[in-house]
Structures are given as C-alpha cells and as structure tokens.
Amino acid sequence: MQHTCTMFLAGKNATIDGSTIVCREEDYGNAFDPQRFVLVKPERQPRQYQSKTTDFKIDLPVPKLKYTSTPDADDKDGIFGAGGINGVNVAMSATETITTNARILAVDPYNTLSGIGEEDFVTLVLPYIRSAQDGVKKLGSLLEKYGTYEANAIAFSDNNEVWYMETIGGHHWAAVKIPDNAYVIAPNRFNITNFDFDSPNTMSSPNLKHWIDQNKLNPSENEYNLRHICGSATATATDTVYNNPRAWYVQQQLGTINANPQSNNLPFICYAKEKLTVTTIKKLMSSHYQGTAFDPYHLEKDKAPFRSIALNRNLELHILQIRNNVPASIAGVHWLAFGPNTFNAVVPFYANIDDTPIPYRNTSTEYSIDDMYWLTHTIAALGDQNYQQAQSIEENFELQVMAKTMNVQNNTDKEIAEHQDVSAFLTTINNRMAETAVDESKKLLGKLVKLAFSKERLQF
C-alpha cells in the first residue's frame, strides 16, 4: 500500500479551459520506491491476474483499450498502476488511503485473505471502462463481490464528469459526482460528508442506507454524513495533525477561509475564487504551508506541527486532464512529475501514444542519473538542505520546464490535423518534452551542486 497521498479534483466549469482534472500525488515511506511511466497496450494487459497481497485471482478478458500508468519499477509487491488515461479518454487515479473506524469494521470486516486493493484497482478497471460512471460501477461490483483489505478513495473522470469514490468496510462503497463548478481537496481521511441517496449525482453499494440504519451506525438523526459515520475523526486525533491541515491550507489559498486548520468539519465540496489552472494545482500540490507559521523550512528540524502535501516521501504527481474544445485524439493529457513536489516540474504528456519516453519509462530499481525518478531525487536531496538559497533557482526551473513544454503542446495542438498517424506523432512530441525536462533538470542539478559546494566546511 502506498502509505499516504493527497488528491485534488476539479469539474469542467471550475477550470480555466473547461477541462476535467483528477490529480493525486503518490507517497511512500522514507525508503525509495522507484516509479515508471508506461503505456499498457491490450496485448500487454495481464490475462491470468494474481494479486501479490492476497490470494485473489481472476481471468481477465483482452481489453480493447490501451492506457497510461505509473507502476512501481519493481513489481514484487504488485503492479500499483497508480493512475492513467485510457484510449477513450477516461482517467482513473487509485488510490488515496483513507480512514475508517471500529464500528464499521465490526459489521463489515476487511477481506484480508482474498480481497483486492490499491495494487490491483487500475489494472482491473481502467482498460475496460468507457466513462467515469462506468469506472465507479465496475470497481463497485468488484468490491461487492471480492471485498477489500484496506480503506481507499478512487477518482474517475471523462470530459464531462468527475467522480470521487470511497470504500466502506470490506464490501461497501459510496461515490459522488463532483459539481462541474467545484473542486475537492482530499487528504488521508474519509472525505465525503452529507450523502443524498436519492440524488442522480451519487452512487453506492446496494442497500448501503439500509445497512447503515440496520447496524445503527449513524450518529445523526437528520442526515447521512459519511465522514462522521465511516471516518476516524471521532475515534482518533490523527486527522487533526496529519490530514485536516492539508485540506485547510488548500482551501485557504482558493478562498474558503476557516480559522482552525485542525477542524474535523472542513467542507468536502468547495468552490474556488477564480478559475483553476494546472499551474495553480501544481503549486498547491507542492505546498508546505508557505506564508504560515507551520512551514517546516522556517522551523527547527522535526518541529513542524502538521504534515504538508509536499514532503520527501512524494513518489510521483499525476494531473490527469481531459480537455474539451480539442479533437478527442489529443484530449487526454497525463501531466507527470517524479519525486518530491517542491523540487520537480510536471510535463504535459499526451496520453494517445505508442510508448512513453525512455527517461520516464525505464526506471532502474538502483540509482541511475539517467532516470527522471532518480535525477529528481538527487535535486531534492541538495535543494532541501539549502532551501532558502535554492528556492528561487527551483522556481525558475519549474517556470522554464512548464513554459517550454506547454509551448510545444500549444504548437502540437494547432498542427495535429496535418498528421494521419496521430499516436506516432504524439509519441515523438512526448519524447521531445521529456528531453526538455531532463535537460532543464540537469541544469538545475548543476546549479545546486555549485551552491552546496560553496558552503562546504573544509575551506581554508
């Protein structure tokens, strides 16, 4: 299980260009967990699938859809596809680790022997779905039949809709369509609040409402607040320092003001004060409480009171954008960055491709400066130790990468009609953007080496 993550979602009317957005930064423990960016074609999709965590087995049909994904470089513990976009521009991100409580698990225990979980979800679902709602229904049916061994949140999108789904106990689930003009920031807690079982904008496992009532799980008499029913806030204090402050900071930045960063009642559905851009979302996903008294870079080591979104355990950040007002062949953009978010830059990789760029695809399980994963971690190791001096250098690096790659993207969008083999053309474009990102990263590394060397103690 990828221990901790943060998810950000946005409906099509909440973004500046009418895109839907599913974004998640994937975290791990303090050890390295190298990541790859791959394209899974139908012939590469597993047929006899076996989970590494449990005894779950299933025969999978040959899918008709290819899909991008960011799995672990070493699959000894499972694939962990993480997130991607398939051949009909449906995006999926899985998973956001969430919380539950003993009352839920007492009546619907986890299936720890043969259930499914994060390592399986993308592989079992993404190549077989043709809409965001399809994704919710397919994963929901798998959860009902096989159960899960952990608490997770999952997001799906197409060009019209964004759906957010949370597992409940071993076999139950609930999902909400995010309003077109809204956004969601979801840390590692149960996030859905008031749930309307009769709304066309919600879905859930069969008889979920009856199950809640029958087992006397609802502390309220007039609403179904799933965060209160299913979450951990009433049982532990962890949310107040580990989860809630992350949501609080993002909401503050986007205009939803709350005086208490530790509040258990921060809203689920939010509305930004202005239209959202990928640049804004990347900045939020790179945040560490800048401008507040909680910023770790202005405190003594290990004295930070709250866990931030950006930290040394960031593995990869994907911003899955499904665009409107462009041809379907170029609508899916899998923005991607590896490593700690304070020291990386996202690149707008097209999803309709034949293969992914080598520096992002062929990640070694051992250190290699030629791999984007390891290159970014090298930058972060130096930058973190000299953050005050490195901050402006890093910010300029990120500006350069995004400006140059987005310029390539803008030009590509304009000339796409001239190309018959679109996926082959977009593959070459992605390679060009990857080359730009690698070159700029190496320039940044050189600047950080010079900065660190000037502060060496053995000078005389």
Side-chain angles (χ1 to χ4, degrees):
M1 179 172 61
Q2 312 300 27
H3 298 258
T4 55
C5 306
T6 308
M7 188 177 283
F8 187 96
L9 313 173
K12 61 184 178 181
N13 293 338
T15 61
I16 197 168
D17 63 352
S19 300
T20 60
I21 294 286
V22 164
C23 167
R24 184 169 62 90
E25 58 85 8
E26 183 182 5
D27 300 332
Y28 194 59
N30 283 314
F32 290 111
D33 185 14
Q35 303 290 293
R36 304 173 61 214
F37 177 42
V38 302
L39 179 77
V40 182
K41 296 181 178 180
E43 60 269 25
R44 295 179 185 173
Q45 171 74 354
R47 297 295 309 282
Q48 286 78 42
Y49 183 82
Q50 166 72 66
S51 174
K52 300 291 181 67
T53 304
T54 71
D55 295 332
F56 172 79
K57 295 180 182 179
I58 193 171
D59 290 334
L60 293 172
V62 177
K64 296 181 180 179
L65 303 174
K66 62 185 178 181
Y67 62 102
T68 59
S69 135
T70 52
D72 291 357
D74 186 345
D75 65 358
K76 64 178 174 40
D77 295 322
I79 295 175
F80 290 97
I85 300 172
N86 72 18
V88 290
N89 295 322
V90 178
M92 176 183 183
S93 183
T95 66
E96 177 78 14
T97 304
I98 60 172
T99 57
T100 190
N101 60 60
R103 293 180 297 110
I104 295 294
L105 296 178
V107 291
D108 186 13
Y110 291 141
N111 181 3
T112 57
L113 296 179
S114 58
I116 58 176
E118 179 173 359
E119 69 158 292
D120 315 300
F121 287 171
V122 169
T123 303
L124 297 180
V125 175
L126 187 55
Y128 304 103
I129 57 176
R130 293 186 169 271
S131 72
Q133 289 194 42
D134 276 355
V136 173
K137 292 173 183 177
K138 183 167 184 61
L139 180 55
S141 66
L142 290 169
L143 291 168
E144 293 157 26
K145 183 174 182 178
Y146 300 105
T148 186
Y149 52 85
E150 57 188 1
N152 281 314
I154 308 94
F156 298 93
S157 67
D158 50 42
N159 68 308
N160 284 315
E161 299 182 346
V162 178
W163 282 80
Y164 177 79
M165 178 181 190
E166 293 186 312
T167 66
I168 298 172
H171 301 81
H172 292 80
W173 58 272
V176 176
K177 177 184 175 295
I178 308 307
D180 291 343
N181 61 339
Y183 76 90
V184 165
I185 175 68
N188 303 113
R189 65 175 184 204
F190 203 101
N191 289 284
I192 298 174
T193 51
N194 294 340
F195 192 83
D196 182 356
F197 286 93
D198 297 321
S199 170
N201 296 321
T202 64
M203 289 188 277
S204 65
S205 48
N207 301 316
L208 177 63
K209 183 178 180 181
H210 175 73
W211 177 77
I212 291 172
D213 293 340
Q214 182 182 42
N215 291 286
K216 296 179 171 40
L217 298 172
N218 189 4
S220 173
E221 294 183 359
N222 53 21
E223 65 181 10
Y224 287 81
N225 185 321
L226 296 187
R227 189 185 303 170
H228 291 170
I229 295 170
C230 307
S232 62
T234 59
T236 72
T238 302
D239 285 348
T240 62
V241 296
Y242 194 83
N243 294 316
N244 302 343
R246 277 182 277 164
W248 168 84
Y249 184 80
V250 170
Q251 291 175 9
Q252 294 275 113
Q253 297 300 302
L254 296 180
T256 299
I257 307 300
N258 190 298
N260 182 8
Q262 297 182 274
S263 171
N264 284 319
N265 294 311
L266 296 172
F268 169 52
I269 302 294
C270 297
Y271 302 88
K273 60 187 176 183
E274 56 187 30
K275 297 286 188 178
L276 296 165
T277 67
V278 170
T279 306
T280 299
I281 294 170
K282 171 57 170 72
K283 181 179 179 181
L284 294 170
M285 301 305 282
S286 302
S287 62
H288 44 86
Y289 304 110
Q290 297 97 312
T292 76
F294 314 128
D295 188 342
Y297 286 117
H298 296 293
L299 297 168
E300 292 183 32
K301 186 175 176 60
D302 300 325
K303 295 297 183 181
F306 305 137
R307 178 251 156 103
S308 60
I309 295 177
L311 74 173
N312 66 316
R313 296 186 284 110
N314 300 149
L315 291 178
E316 57 93 11
L317 170 65
H318 54 257
I319 304 174
L320 308 178
Q321 179 186 31
I322 310 299
R323 301 187 293 171
N324 287 291
N325 306 313
V326 297
S329 61
I330 58 172
V333 182
H334 188 137
W335 295 79
L336 180 64
F338 288 142
N341 294 335
T342 312
F343 304 98
N344 62 19
V346 286
V347 177
F349 292 122
Y350 289 97
N352 179 21
I353 49 174
D354 294 329
D355 212 340
T356 51
I358 289 175
Y360 287 80
R361 181 181 76 230
N362 292 352
T363 306
S364 172
T365 56
E366 299 298 327
Y367 182 88
S368 171
I369 198 68
D370 295 324
D371 300 341
M372 196 61 175
Y373 174 90
W374 291 111
L375 175 56
T376 304
H377 278 79
T378 307
I379 290 168
L382 287 172
D384 184 80
Q385 299 301 313
N386 303 280
Y387 180 74
Q388 305 302 333
Q389 297 87 352
Q391 181 181 6
S392 61
I393 303 174
E394 192 286 329
E395 289 173 348
N396 185 63
F397 150 78
E398 191 162 354
L399 172 67
Q400 293 300 319
V401 171
M402 292 194 74
K404 291 180 179 180
T405 57
M406 289 172 68
N407 177 256
V408 173
Q409 181 190 40
N410 289 337
N411 292 332
T412 301
D413 286 352
K414 293 174 183 177
E415 63 180 86
I416 196 66
E418 302 172 12
H419 298 270
Q420 290 187 331
D421 192 340
V422 172
S423 59
F425 174 60
L426 295 181
T427 301
T428 65
I429 294 299
N430 280 4
N431 287 337
R432 189 191 310 173
M433 291 194 287
E435 183 179 352
T436 295
V438 170
D439 287 347
E440 292 296 328
S441 296
K442 289 183 176 179
K443 291 177 186 176
L444 173 61
L445 177 58
K447 293 176 182 177
L448 293 177
V449 169
K450 292 177 181 178
L451 172 62
F453 199 75
S454 69
K455 299 171 69 176
E456 287 287 314
R457 296 190 182 210
L458 290 180
Q459 298 188 45
F460 188 76

